[in-house]
Amino acid sequence: MTRGLRLEGVAFAYDDRSRIFSDLNLEVASGVTLLSGENGAGKTTLLKLAAGVEKPDAGRVLVNGSDLWRREVAARSDLAFVPQEPDVTPFATIREVLRLVCRLRSQPAEQVDQVLSETDLEDSADLSIRELSRGQRRRVLLAAAWIGTPRTAILDEPLDAMDEHWRGRIHGWLKALREAGGVALVATHEAGSLAELADRFLVLRDGEIRELDSLPQDTTWRTP
């Protein structure tokens, strides 16, 4: 099986006046790929398309060779998405959300307690998303991503609202994923320690992807 993400001829618009992509093609193979671009360039939309949160108007998205909208179970079983903001119900408890993820990934319910411990959320397990701090909400997203240890990860600004400890944990996760031959697509303006893990550096501009030979000297990188 070919491991990786592919977007083929993807077109997407929120309405007739705001077309984001017309014919986007992108292949992300094993390793860590960092993506940047100016605010409003469409990075979050691209990640949502790659993760199956948004459906393309045309074209297709493949996860490890499986069409994300035609073979959903196969495509999503090994896919983790860590959005910048928690796109989950604000009323369900953390435990309920994680149990749902276990069912979706065909994992035993016991994994809920494991990932709660790994993310220091045991004492918050019966609180709802809306009762948590921003940092805790980001950790819930990590907990969900770590259920079943998926080997294809899509992350949107993963360092945002994280202290040094959790930045280190994210770094360690991506390093382990990379060493295991997994795939990570990471949108970030603050590369920091992630830059040393990266195999590719991409910039999104005007609906198109441009590849950089190396990361600019300033690790808070912008479109050159």
Side-chain angles (χ1 to χ4, degrees):
M1 177 181 68
T2 301
R3 181 162 296 281
L5 293 165
R6 288 177 62 90
L7 281 72
E8 299 179 348
V10 166
F12 181 79
Y14 287 107
D15 56 51
D16 293 339
R17 295 173 297 175
S18 60
R19 178 156 296 281
I20 310 299
F21 303 114
S22 297
D23 184 23
L24 180 69
N25 294 282
L26 174 64
E27 182 170 1
V28 182
S30 297
V32 176
T33 297
L34 297 188
L35 171 70
S36 188
E38 298 293 342
N39 291 335
K43 300 184 301 299
T44 292
T45 300
L46 188 157
L47 296 193
K48 287 183 175 180
L49 288 163
V53 176
E54 298 285 2
K55 186 175 182 179
D57 300 326
R60 61 178 186 163
V61 180
L62 302 175
V63 181
N64 302 327
S66 296
D67 190 305
L68 192 51
W69 292 96
R70 293 178 181 270
R71 299 184 60 204
E72 289 192 59
V73 173
R76 296 176 189 272
S77 62
D78 196 32
L79 176 64
F81 177 42
V82 181
Q84 187 172 12
E85 299 296 339
D87 292 332
V88 295
T89 174
F91 303 106
T93 68
I94 307 312
R95 192 183 304 278
E96 289 169 340
V97 169
L98 297 178
R99 282 176 177 168
L100 174 60
V101 176
C102 283
R103 291 197 294 273
L104 293 174
R105 294 202 185 127
S106 301
Q107 296 298 315
E110 290 78 8
Q111 278 214 17
V112 170
D113 289 333
Q114 177 183 332
V115 295
L116 284 171
S117 176
E118 289 175 352
T119 51
D120 295 341
L121 289 169
E122 304 103 309
D123 295 337
S124 304
D126 296 314
L127 299 179
S128 66
I129 288 286
R130 61 179 179 170
E131 296 177 277
L132 303 181
S133 68
R134 191 177 183 208
Q136 287 174 315
R137 294 180 186 187
R138 299 306 305 278
R139 281 188 272 142
V140 171
L141 301 176
L142 286 178
W146 292 346
I147 289 175
T149 60
R151 292 180 294 170
T152 304
I154 299 171
L155 298 86
D156 193 357
E157 300 290 351
L159 303 182
D160 190 33
M162 293 296 191
D163 61 23
E164 289 303 314
H165 170 77
W166 288 103
R167 288 172 179 236
R169 291 288 301 276
I170 292 167
H171 182 281
W173 172 36
L174 291 174
K175 181 178 180 181
L177 188 70
R178 181 175 184 262
E179 291 174 349
V183 179
L185 175 61
V186 184
T188 181
H189 276 129
E190 183 186 352
S193 61
L194 299 181
E196 66 190 57
L197 296 176
D199 299 282
R200 296 175 72 194
F201 304 100
L202 305 178
V203 168
L204 178 62
R205 174 189 282 174
D206 298 329
E208 297 182 356
I209 294 289
R210 173 185 174 188
E211 185 158 5
L212 302 179
D213 293 331
S214 60
L215 185 70
Q217 291 296 315
D218 181 2
T219 54
T220 304
W221 55 317
R222 304 284 177 176
T223 307

